[in-house]
Amino acid sequence: MKQLTAEQIQENWNKLIQLIKDTFPEDYPDNRREKLLKMYHHFEDRMTVAPASGKEHYHNAHVGGYVEHVLHVTDLAVQIKEMWELNKATINFTDEELIFAAIHHDLGKVGDLDKDYYVPQDSEWHRKNRGEIFTHNGELSYMTVTDRAIFLLGHFQIPMSENEYIGLRLTDGLYEEANKNYYISWNPDWGLKSNIAYILHQADSMATHIEYDMWKRGDVEEQEAKQEKVESLKKALTVDDEKKPAASDELSQKSKDLFEELFGEKS
Ligand SMILES: [Fe+2]
């Protein structure tokens, strides 16, 4: 399982706060900078460690995975927007709007005002067989992640433009049933008036798949490293009969060390 160090978690948090400060300078209208920083200060302790999903085979189901994912999506959204622009797409929204929607599209995953959305999965069976590292907190009222994001932004009186609302509302694309009427309409007047939602959905989708790939590769590497250690342990325990008496003490210590390294406890 992927694990971030305390330094990486802190570094990601600092990046997120700096991104907000850079995107919304001090004189930004509606005091958005102050209101955003107030909200982030409120959630700091929980948001820094929140995962981006509960199941390890989804994406970023590790401590600090939420902030890492949000930074990833924002970075990709800016890159993807440039590609659309380069290919003559109409870009009728600002970078600030794109970044605002990207950093808040999953805000509901942090939970409500004082309770986490994801809590550690206590059931060993679910952890082992279902890869559920975290599970949903049953104490929270049901809301979609997007609805909760909009509720939280409203609670902190953070205004948003129509482009920002449409962008963060539709980031999940057609994976979210409720988005269907926005994306598919037979009435030309009701079609999306901007490409912001398509770009954000592509960024979120790309980030999610890459995060899955990174987890998968890390998992394979972890398994290979473990297998290598098991082979070393087996080798260390196999000694020619004639060498046995002389080597026994040394061997016993060596095997204990390897066992400890492999399983994290004394044999
Ligand atoms: Fe996401």
Side-chain angles (χ1 to χ4, degrees), residues 52 59 69-70 73 105-106 109 171-172 204-205 208:
H59 70 115
H69 172 67
V70 158
V73 173
H105 78 281
D106 271 344
K109 288 184 177 175
T171 299
D172 284 339
D204 190 36
S205 174
T208 303

Side-chain angles (χ1 to χ4, degrees), residues 34-94:
E34 289 69 30
K35 288 172 182 169
L36 281 168
L37 292 175
K38 189 178 165 193
M39 182 182 79
Y40 279 84
H41 178 68
H42 175 89
F43 285 120
E44 180 171 354
D45 291 347
R46 290 163 46 203
M47 195 186 278
T48 45
V49 293
S53 73
K55 294 189 171 89
E56 58 179 356
H57 53 280
Y58 282 5
H59 70 115
N60 273 19
H62 53 260
V63 171
Y66 169 83
V67 174
E68 191 180 49
H69 172 67
V70 158
L71 290 170
H72 198 187
V73 173
T74 308
D75 187 29
L76 290 172
V78 172
Q79 291 183 49
I80 291 169
K81 185 218 87 174
E82 282 167 9
M83 190 184 273
W84 277 64
E85 205 167 22
L86 206 66
N87 288 282
K88 316 254 183 301
T90 298
I91 303 295
N92 56 357
F93 52 87
T94 64

Side-chain angles (χ1 to χ4, degrees), residues 236-237 247-258 267:
L237 292 169
S248 63
D249 284 351
E250 191 193 337
L251 180 61
S252 146
Q253 188 54 47
K254 204 173 169 185
S255 62
K256 273 182 187 169
D257 291 347
L258 274 163
S267 58

